[in-house]
Amino acid sequence: MSNLLLLLILLPVAAALVCYFVRSSAVRNLTVVATGAVLTLASVGLLAQGAFEPIAVGSILGISSDFLVTVLDFALLAVIFFYGLKHKSLLIQGFTLAQAVLLAWFEFISLKHEAVPALMGDQLTLVMVLVISVIGSLICIFAIPYMKEHEEHLHLKKSRQPRFFFFLVLFLGAMNGLVLSNNILWMYFFFEVTTLCSFMLIGHDATEIATKNSVRALWMNALGGLAFVIGMMLVYSETGTLNIAAILAAGPQGALMVTGVGFLCLAGFTKAAQVPFQSWLLGAMVAPTPVSALLHSSTMVKAGVFVVLRFAPAYVDTFLSTGVAVCGAFTFLACAALGIGQSNGKKILAYSTVANLGLIICCAGINTPLALTAAIMLILFHAVSKSLLFLCVGTIEQAIGSRDIEDMRGLYAKLPRTALITIIGILTMMLPPFGVLLGKWMAIEASADSNIFIVIMLAMGSAMMVVYLARWAGSMMGSREEGAKSESQALLIRLPLFIICLAAVALSVASPWIYNSLLAPWLGSAPFTVGFGSLESAHGTFVVVPLFLVLGLGLLYAVKAASGYRKTRIMPPYLGGANSSVDGTYVGPMNGDVPFSAGNMYLGELFAEGKLTPICNALAVALIVLMLGGAL
């Protein structure tokens, strides 16, 4: 077992070194593909073996693993501090130096070193490892042809791909290490590795805007690292152990310990880009699309929600738990509203991501078996659908030179395969019986037992998300012209898109059995029973398989009904009797021919980003202060 776990963590490290030092593109491509295949098989093998008790890791290359992690901790902080000096950021320098001082005092003065099993695995861990290793690997494989075209577009004289793939692949190992950690010091180390990786990847293109946004991401996540250290020290001072499994088993143990867990949740908020920290993730959109897909689906932001979920048993039935739920629900509502005013495809996905992460954190705060079920289901299905959509936007952007959804109007006529996969990805985010909506239904059902304000925020946020997702999907619909050229794509572009799209549908169909085999044993008092492909509870029933059967029949009928559309004459839109003799125009002022154009409404007066963001940030800060103050 320990060898399999170390493989999941150390193989990406070794592969990253090969990608960096062996400058052959063929070797690099083979290394990325082979690493992805091995990680996928290893994560499936770990899932098959099931949950396991905490286990110790004696030594790595003859060096004590705990000592190695301590040395690497300080080395990592030194690297981050160096970049703070390089970019003249006092915030990065200050937060990093504070971490180093507190960590040194904790490690060498306060801490009574004891043998702590380093790695553990429950169902939450197994789901996270599967998401990281499978979805993350497909994104890395997609990046091979994508980055080749990306660099050709930038006309680079010297390729930066060795460094790019070094941090991209290393990210997977760091995330696996984080979710498998049973020692808080190990978790902190991997937490900070993800901070460095995201900084390097966001600033990869080395443009002024890329550098600016990478620095902002670094100082915000350095703040999260400082909160993590403070929280870790407070928890240890009360419990006397670094063993996460023991801490969770004991539950809340006094105000000081719960406050420490509150700081750990704050660290998770920064990493998950919760309001008011969302700006670093929005700024990360300047990075190449594989980076955006990785950050949003299976690595950086999922590290944040994992920390909040991991420590949920340590703050159950406390004021902190209610505070976490309210903060998450507020982020869900705020970012759903901010997404309505956006036409940039990547920005829409960014706000949607932050909103859904807020929903997962809200579920962690509600802290009931039903809510925790919703959180894990959302983690799984959101990762699949959101990674698919980011990769689709990147593919579309390289094809048409724009990521604005207005420029994607009628995209099916030009890129039928990519447009269809994108539309399927959007539908899996917002319609029944797909998994994301199943998770939202569970979350709203769980909120009914907590707080009426949380219920209202979740209901309103869900409705707003449907507005901009449906608007985007509708814009791409159109007719395929007879004799149009078929869409051509590189195999390593087409294959990940197809696999992730198929996974989004197949996993949704299998959701009742995923719950029954993976989550029900973990929850103890399971909130659902599975009957004829449906999930049934005291609150209601979510029909899955029967709805898919109806959906399949409806799709077959629609295909048959549209089978003769190629022979149909396409008519111009009817413009209230003012059509002119020229197709696509109408009679306007002075009887002139005015071109017809269609566009979406973005309700800028109500949902302007510049107006809403300061208000949302101020309210979020107040809620976080109240959350931490209440824990005391």
Side-chain angles (χ1 to χ4, degrees):
M1 174 66 76
S2 59
N3 291 334
L4 181 61
L5 299 178
L6 289 175
L7 178 70
L8 287 164
I9 299 171
L10 296 181
L11 176 61
V13 178
L17 293 172
V18 171
C19 289
Y20 187 79
F21 288 107
V22 181
R23 295 303 172 112
S24 166
S25 60
V27 172
R28 181 170 60 248
N29 296 347
L30 180 61
T31 300
V32 171
V33 173
T35 301
V38 173
L39 287 178
T40 297
L41 293 174
S43 63
V44 172
L46 185 65
L47 181 66
Q49 292 188 27
F52 57 91
E53 294 297 319
I55 60 175
V57 177
S59 62
I60 301 173
L61 302 176
I63 305 173
S64 167
S65 57
D66 288 340
F67 175 75
L68 184 61
V69 167
T70 298
V71 172
L72 292 175
D73 260 335
F74 287 101
L76 184 61
L77 289 174
V79 171
I80 295 174
F81 185 78
F82 164 77
Y83 281 109
L85 291 174
K86 180 180 178 180
H87 294 289
K88 300 178 181 178
S89 172
L90 293 177
L91 289 173
I92 296 173
Q93 296 171 37
F95 292 144
T96 307
L97 188 60
Q99 285 184 67
V101 171
L102 289 175
L103 188 63
W105 185 84
F106 181 59
E107 286 264 22
F108 303 124
I109 298 176
S110 176
L111 181 63
K112 296 178 181 178
H113 291 277
E114 59 176 348
V116 176
L119 304 174
M120 67 174 286
D122 57 8
Q123 274 74 6
L124 174 60
T125 297
L126 298 181
V127 169
M128 290 296 298
V129 169
L130 196 67
V131 167
I132 295 158
S133 300
V134 178
I135 302 300
S137 295
L138 287 171
I139 293 170
C140 291
I141 292 170
F142 174 92
I144 294 171
Y146 183 93
M147 289 307 295
K148 182 176 182 294
E149 187 168 341
H150 180 76
E151 292 196 341
E152 288 175 357
H153 176 72
L154 295 178
H155 305 293
L156 296 181
K157 294 181 180 179
K158 183 180 179 181
S159 175
R160 300 193 191 118
Q161 290 190 48
R163 192 183 81 153
F164 179 84
F165 280 98
F166 172 82
F167 286 106
L168 200 71
V169 177
L170 179 64
F171 223 142
L172 303 184
M175 276 299 301
N176 278 333
L178 189 151
V179 301
L180 287 166
S181 293
N182 182 57
N183 186 321
I184 299 184
L185 280 170
W186 282 50
M187 181 181 281
Y188 166 71
F189 167 68
F190 290 117
F191 190 87
E192 288 301 280
V193 174
T194 63
T195 294
L196 180 63
C197 287
S198 65
F199 164 73
M200 300 302 291
L201 289 169
I202 294 169
H204 172 74
D205 284 342
T207 60
E208 183 179 351
I209 188 171
T211 301
K212 177 183 176 182
N213 284 299
S214 66
V215 169
R216 176 167 52 189
L218 188 57
W219 79 252
M220 282 194 177
N221 284 286
L223 171 62
L226 178 59
F228 198 111
V229 173
I230 294 171
M232 176 172 59
M233 294 172 66
L234 291 175
V235 169
Y236 179 80
S237 69
E238 186 73 20
T239 63
T241 182
L242 298 173
N243 189 323
I244 294 175
I247 293 169
L248 300 183
Q253 300 176 49
L256 189 62
M257 180 264 191
V258 173
T259 303
V261 175
F263 275 98
L264 293 175
C265 290
L266 176 60
F269 284 9
T270 61
K271 192 73 74 175
Q274 297 296 279
V275 181
F277 307 109
Q278 77 280 10
S279 60
W280 80 257
L281 191 60
L282 295 170
M285 296 303 98
V286 301
T289 292
V291 176
S292 302
L294 201 65
L295 291 176
H296 285 252
S297 63
S298 59
T299 55
M300 189 71 164
V301 296
K302 289 299 191 296
V305 295
F306 174 81
V307 169
V308 179
L309 270 171
R310 166 55 73 218
F311 289 98
Y315 58 83
V316 63
D317 295 329
T318 65
F319 182 85
L320 175 63
S321 192
T322 303
V324 169
V326 171
C327 288
F330 178 76
T331 290
F332 180 64
L333 174 61
C335 289
L338 285 164
I340 291 180
Q342 305 301 318
S343 65
N344 182 307
K346 267 194 173 183
K347 213 164 190 182
I348 290 172
L349 293 179
Y351 275 121
S352 171
T353 295
V354 178
N356 280 288
L357 295 173
L359 181 59
I360 297 170
I361 286 174
C362 176
C363 291
I366 294 172
N367 227 336
T368 62
L370 177 56
L372 296 178
T373 301
I376 298 179
M377 296 291 265
L378 283 167
I379 285 175
L380 176 61
F381 290 111
H382 175 264
V384 176
S385 295
K386 195 53 64 72
S387 62
L388 175 63
L389 288 174
F390 267 107
L391 297 186
C392 286
V393 169
T395 304
I396 293 168
E397 183 180 10
Q398 286 195 336
I400 69 174
S402 172
R403 61 181 69 158
D404 195 299
I405 65 173
E406 293 298 328
D407 296 327
M408 299 179 195
R409 186 170 297 278
L411 187 70
Y412 180 78
K414 301 175 183 177
L415 305 172
R417 184 189 301 118
T418 303
L420 183 60
I421 290 175
T422 307
I423 292 169
I424 292 173
I426 292 173
L427 294 181
T428 63
M429 286 288 298
M430 68 179 209
L431 288 183
F434 293 106
V436 175
L437 190 73
L438 170 62
K440 289 181 181 178
W441 172 74
M442 290 179 176
I444 294 175
E445 291 284 359
S447 69
D449 297 327
S450 60
N451 188 306
I452 185 62
F453 297 106
I454 293 177
V455 176
I456 293 171
M457 286 190 283
L458 296 192
M460 291 178 63
S462 296
M464 290 179 181
M465 289 185 72
V466 171
V467 171
Y468 57 78
L469 290 175
R471 178 175 63 196
W472 186 1
S475 296
M476 288 187 287
M477 303 294 285
S479 299
R480 181 81 168 137
E481 297 177 3
E482 189 173 1
K485 294 181 180 179
S486 60
E487 182 182 356
S488 61
Q489 283 179 334
L491 176 63
L492 294 183
I493 292 286
R494 184 166 63 249
L495 195 60
L497 289 179
F498 177 76
I499 291 174
I500 299 176
C501 181
L502 182 63
V505 177
L507 290 174
S508 294
V509 174
S511 57
W513 296 278
I514 291 174
Y515 164 79
N516 213 30
S517 61
L518 194 59
L519 299 183
W522 176 57
L523 294 168
S525 57
F528 291 101
T529 57
V530 177
F532 190 61
S534 301
L535 287 167
E536 303 172 358
S537 74
H539 295 281
T541 300
F542 193 96
V543 180
V544 179
V545 175
L547 274 179
F548 268 109
L549 293 175
V550 172
L551 182 64
L553 292 173
L555 182 61
L556 290 175
Y557 176 79
V559 170
K560 182 179 179 181
S563 59
Y565 79 94
R566 293 184 188 277
K567 301 176 183 178
T568 303
R569 180 169 173 245
I570 299 175
M571 300 297 293
Y574 177 70
L575 301 171
N579 294 63
S580 72
S581 58
V582 181
D583 285 350
T585 65
Y586 65 94
V587 178
M590 305 296 291
N591 291 323
D593 293 336
V594 180
F596 164 77
S597 63
N600 290 304
M601 293 182 64
Y602 294 95
L603 305 176
E605 301 82 3
L606 295 175
F607 299 102
E609 189 177 29
K611 294 179 181 178
L612 284 184
T613 299
I615 298 172
C616 292
N617 287 349
L619 290 173
V621 169
L623 289 174
I624 290 173
V625 171
L626 181 63
M627 177 188 79
L628 293 176
L632 285 170

